[in-house]
Amino acid sequence: MNKQERVTFVINTLKELYPTIPVPLDHKDPYTLLIAVLLSAQCTDVRVNQITPLLFAKADNPYDMIKMSVEEIKEIIRPCGLSPMKSKGIHGLSHILIDKHDGKVPQSFEFLEELPAVGHKTASVVMSQAFGVPAFPVDTHIHRLMYRWNLTNGKNVVQTEKDAKRIFPEELWNDLHLQIIWYGRQYSPARGWDLDKDIITKTIGRKTVLDSYNKK
């Protein structure tokens, strides 16, 4: 297969496996999504979905969030890890949303990335899932799979995102990034990987990746 045929194969296979795409993080609006994505750094989505109901029961908007202290937020989100940094970020960005954006999450990569504890990936998730703006947030699953599928050299997530945006049609970005995440978790994980179940890598995988797997 040439590169375009590989890309088409990926798109069609993912569409077949995930015709309707579940959203990994539970949320009800852009603010709760922003907080959930921030909490998901170095934490599983399952754990985040266990913690956010406890936090949002006390504060599901920036006005209520700033009534809590950083310490109170930290205690609730502690199981998500990095709680000192995340609690300061949540408190700080809630203040900024009130002071600069009328308490609303801005529909802008630039403004989102100015918020404390919000990086490019978090901003991309919010823009795509909350506002439907085409974006391609790259997490560890997408980074791993794009390399396994020989669609990027995978030196870093910045390069992987550029390559993904270049080879996949823009109107599919928002679906594809979620489909690839689910596929990575279910069929092509970093640990306990069974190539026989991983139809995409088995069909179009990078030769060195397949050779290394088969040697094991």
Side-chain angles (χ1 to χ4, degrees):
M1 285 193 209
N2 62 32
K3 193 164 194 175
Q4 190 50 56
E5 287 169 336
R6 294 203 313 272
V7 168
T8 302
F9 177 74
V10 168
I11 292 169
N12 291 342
T13 305
L14 292 173
K15 200 178 284 181
E16 204 173 296
L17 286 170
Y18 306 103
T20 55
I21 309 161
V23 175
L25 293 167
D26 298 337
H27 65 282
K28 64 175 185 175
D29 57 23
Y31 179 76
T32 52
L33 176 63
L34 174 61
I35 302 304
V37 179
L38 188 156
L39 289 175
S40 72
Q42 295 184 37
C43 179
T44 66
D45 292 347
V46 171
R47 175 64 57 83
V48 173
N49 288 338
Q50 290 167 346
I51 298 304
T52 47
L54 307 176
L55 179 63
F56 296 152
K58 295 191 174 233
D60 62 359
N61 62 80
Y63 297 95
D64 288 335
M65 196 66 79
I66 64 167
K67 290 175 188 168
M68 296 173 70
S69 67
V70 172
E71 199 58 40
E72 286 174 300
I73 297 169
K74 186 166 82 173
E75 276 309 303
I76 295 171
I77 68 168
R78 191 181 296 280
C80 290
L82 306 177
S83 58
M85 181 201 76
K86 289 176 181 177
S87 54
K88 281 182 194 162
I90 290 168
H91 202 266
L93 72 81
S94 298
H95 265 292
I96 292 169
L97 292 180
I98 292 166
D99 295 342
K100 289 190 173 179
H101 303 287
D102 298 320
K104 296 191 173 78
V105 176
Q107 294 189 40
S108 152
F109 282 99
E110 184 187 354
F111 288 139
L112 282 167
E113 289 179 37
E114 284 175 357
L115 298 171
V118 175
H120 178 66
K121 184 199 148 207
T122 297
S124 296
V125 173
V126 172
M127 289 297 282
S128 67
Q129 292 178 24
F131 301 125
V133 174
F136 214 109
V138 172
D139 73 346
T140 53
H141 298 289
I142 293 175
H143 188 52
R144 179 177 69 253
L145 268 56
M146 288 284 290
Y147 181 79
R148 282 182 177 174
W149 298 342
N150 202 15
L151 298 176
T152 183
N153 286 327
K155 292 195 168 50
N156 54 56
V157 292
V158 175
Q159 186 58 49
T160 299
E161 181 183 335
K162 278 184 188 164
D163 290 337
K165 286 179 167 178
R166 188 169 42 79
I167 63 178
F168 292 120
E170 187 174 349
E171 66 271 16
L172 298 181
W173 290 355
N174 289 354
D175 284 350
L176 275 170
H177 90 263
L178 286 173
Q179 289 168 322
I180 295 173
I181 288 169
W182 286 114
Y183 186 88
R185 289 175 183 175
Q186 295 178 318
Y187 299 101
S188 194
R191 294 177 188 164
W193 177 32
D194 181 351
L195 185 61
D196 285 331
K197 293 177 182 170
D198 182 355
I199 182 67
I200 297 180
T201 310
K202 196 174 178 182
T203 306
I204 64 160
R206 183 184 293 268
K207 186 175 183 303
T208 51
V209 169
L210 297 178
D211 288 348
S212 169
Y213 180 91
N214 289 325
K215 274 180 193 164
K216 289 177 188 172

